[in-house]
Amino acid sequence: MAFDPVHGTVADGLDTLDPLTAPSQDAAPFRRILTAREELAHAEQELRDSVTAAREAGVSWTVIGAALDTTRQAAQQRFGR
């Protein structure tokens, strides 16, 4: 079953676990992982949006790299167009 953050395919599937085939499975740790993945995806998008806004405001790749604790080249490779 594939993860689909929009439709919650995996999370919805947890609600239909067959208690006879997995009676001792607790879905809480799995749900925690799903939540962390969603938060990570949101944070990644926020980071991309922030870098885009900084570039549009004229901030140099050197400054952005420093904010990311990396080199300007690494920042530009990761976030450049």
Side-chain angles (χ1 to χ4, degrees):
M1 188 181 312
F3 176 71
D4 182 349
V6 174
H7 299 102
T9 308
V10 174
D12 292 343
L14 290 175
D15 296 331
T16 62
L17 282 176
D18 182 355
L20 298 176
T21 59
S24 65
Q25 275 191 325
D26 180 6
F30 190 74
R31 288 185 191 280
R32 187 173 172 196
I33 292 169
L34 292 177
T35 299
R37 285 184 59 191
E38 289 171 2
E39 290 171 356
L40 182 59
H42 177 74
E44 283 289 332
Q45 187 59 53
E46 177 61 25
L47 183 58
R48 289 186 184 289
D49 292 346
S50 298
V51 170
T52 298
R55 288 297 296 152
E56 289 173 353
V59 177
S60 71
W61 283 113
T62 301
V63 172
I64 293 170
L68 294 170
D69 195 28
T70 191
T71 65
R72 75 171 177 81
Q73 292 92 344
Q76 190 172 18
Q77 280 185 328
R78 181 173 175 190
F79 297 101
R81 291 192 169 109

